[in-house]
Amino acid sequence: MDFTDLARLASGHAEARIVQAAVQLGVFEALADRPEDAAGVARRLETEPRATGLLLNALAALGLLEKTGQGFVPAPAARRYLVRGSPRYLGDMILFEASLWRCWENLADAVRSGLPARPPDMYQGDPAQTEIFIAAMDSLVRARGDAEIVADALDWSRIGELLDVGSGPATYPIYLCRRFPALRVTIFDLPGTMKITERYVRGSGLSERFSLIAGDYRSDDIPGTYDAVFLSNIVHGEGDEQNRRLFAKLSGCLRPGGLVIVKDHILDDDAIRPPVGAVFSILMLLTTASGRCYTFAEIRHWMEQAGLSGVRRVDLPPPLTSALVVATK
């Protein structure tokens, strides 16, 4: 690492906030139909013209806008990912990242105390925060193509009944149901989230293939028996002991030969690679009671303690930064 690399790391918040502010203001939608100069964008957004011009120039410098003689237009990546209405829209995830700004501001205090920077309530305390969080999860999976990649990574055709724990917007099981006509899905998630999950499932037109159960996997029984259990980005939100109990509970929900499928950031034994997992653990410090990213060996240990066997890791291709861990009862 040289000086330039270090300086870029230390000032990375500037670029992030420029992008977040642009999404919050609706800059990319304002330019989606036709080029506009700064004055025109300011009129459409009801912002101050000089400040708007500075923001547009910065976005052009970052490669998100193109500046022409007629004004500014979204660059191809921005048109694909940052214009609301695009099937790959990432903006809801960016808005969620913006909502975490105060958490990151208090990182030093969190390291001193070991305590999170916000209530570790899984965004259940305020319905507006729940909406932002669930929309972000849907936005990220759709924009990156996670569901398509996960569907190709395993043979889902032999799974008849799937339990998705902590499904959020149900983006994965909705896609899987479209790909695999025999699949039936039960979703188990927190009550505040389930109100939103129901809306996503209803909008998919696949409601007859879903059962929705509201509850807390930490304390509530999970009814039913299943061919597979899917856990996407769940274990990083919990501590070691809670995960051990969770896998024991889920093992009891499986038919013989059933699968537990974990999708998450899976760290190498040194806990620093892949870097995205090590960095994501800091977000867990800020937002959960005891969560972090885990190594394959740690997840395998919970699975084997729960009576599962044949534990294997399935790496997923870019742009995904996560992997699957699969075990059999």
Side-chain angles (χ1 to χ4, degrees):
M1 178 179 293
D2 61 16
F3 174 85
T4 301
D5 296 326
L6 177 58
R8 186 180 298 113
L9 278 178
S11 63
H13 64 280
E15 287 87 350
R17 290 300 290 156
I18 288 167
V19 176
Q20 291 164 10
V23 172
Q24 288 174 313
L25 291 167
V27 168
F28 302 103
E29 287 80 12
L31 294 168
D33 298 331
R34 64 180 186 271
E36 291 275 13
D37 60 13
V41 173
R43 282 193 300 271
R44 297 187 73 172
L45 299 183
E46 299 182 346
T47 53
E48 197 278 323
R50 173 182 170 276
T52 302
L54 295 175
L55 178 62
L56 296 175
N57 281 335
L59 290 166
L62 294 176
L64 294 175
L65 296 179
E66 295 174 354
K67 190 173 185 179
T68 71
Q70 296 177 302
F72 295 88
V73 296
R79 193 173 292 279
R80 180 174 173 82
Y81 295 115
L82 299 179
V83 175
R84 187 174 288 278
S86 166
R88 295 292 186 180
Y89 181 63
L90 184 62
D92 285 323
M93 184 64 195
I94 293 171
L95 293 174
F96 173 63
E97 296 281 7
S99 76
L100 296 173
W101 182 249
R102 294 298 180 191
C103 291
W104 286 105
E105 185 179 40
N106 293 314
L107 176 57
D109 291 336
V111 173
R112 290 188 186 100
S113 68
L115 299 175
R118 69 174 309 280
D121 62 357
M122 291 305 297
Y123 307 97
Q124 298 293 297
D126 178 350
Q129 290 186 346
T130 310
E131 287 277 2
I132 291 170
F133 176 61
I134 299 304
M137 300 304 101
D138 182 61
S139 177
L140 177 61
V141 170
R142 288 179 182 275
R144 198 166 52 186
D146 292 33
E148 295 95 317
I149 292 172
V150 168
D152 290 337
L154 299 175
D155 181 10
W156 297 87
S157 64
R158 71 185 189 92
I159 298 172
E161 295 185 56
L162 174 69
L163 171 65
D164 189 346
V165 177
S167 185
T171 314
Y172 288 101
I174 287 171
Y175 182 85
L176 290 170
C177 280
R178 288 181 174 142
R179 280 275 298 270
F180 303 99
L183 187 65
R184 298 292 183 271
V185 178
T186 297
I187 292 176
F188 190 91
D189 212 329
L190 294 165
T193 295
M194 192 60 77
K195 296 174 184 176
I196 304 170
T197 307
E198 184 177 8
R199 193 168 71 237
Y200 279 90
V201 171
R202 188 169 59 249
S204 74
L206 297 168
S207 297
E208 73 282 356
R209 294 170 62 187
F210 282 82
S211 297
L212 308 182
I213 302 173
D216 186 339
Y217 60 70
R218 298 183 182 101
S219 55
D220 297 332
D221 292 333
I222 302 176
T225 53
Y226 305 92
D227 300 315
V229 178
F230 185 52
L231 293 165
S232 176
N233 297 319
I234 298 299
V235 299
H236 65 228
E238 305 293 346
D240 182 89
E241 179 58 25
Q242 181 59 59
N243 278 320
R244 184 191 66 77
R245 291 197 297 268
L246 176 59
F247 278 93
K249 181 181 291 189
L250 296 177
S251 179
C253 296
L254 280 176
R255 299 186 176 104
L259 303 177
V260 173
I261 304 163
V262 172
K263 178 184 176 292
D264 218 301
H265 297 298
I266 310 299
L267 294 173
D268 293 345
D269 288 342
D270 62 12
I272 63 174
R273 284 180 290 268
V276 66
V279 173
F280 194 82
S281 288
I282 299 298
L283 179 59
M284 294 301 95
L285 168 66
L286 292 169
T287 60
T288 72
S290 55
R292 63 177 175 85
C293 294
Y294 293 93
T295 66
F296 172 71
E298 289 172 309
I299 297 173
R300 180 178 59 199
H301 181 63
W302 302 326
M303 289 178 160
E304 291 175 346
Q305 279 192 320
L308 305 172
S309 61
V311 183
R312 59 191 175 97
R313 172 175 174 161
V314 179
D315 289 320
L316 301 173
L320 271 67
T321 56
S322 52
L324 304 178
V325 180
V326 184
T328 305
K329 182 172 181 179

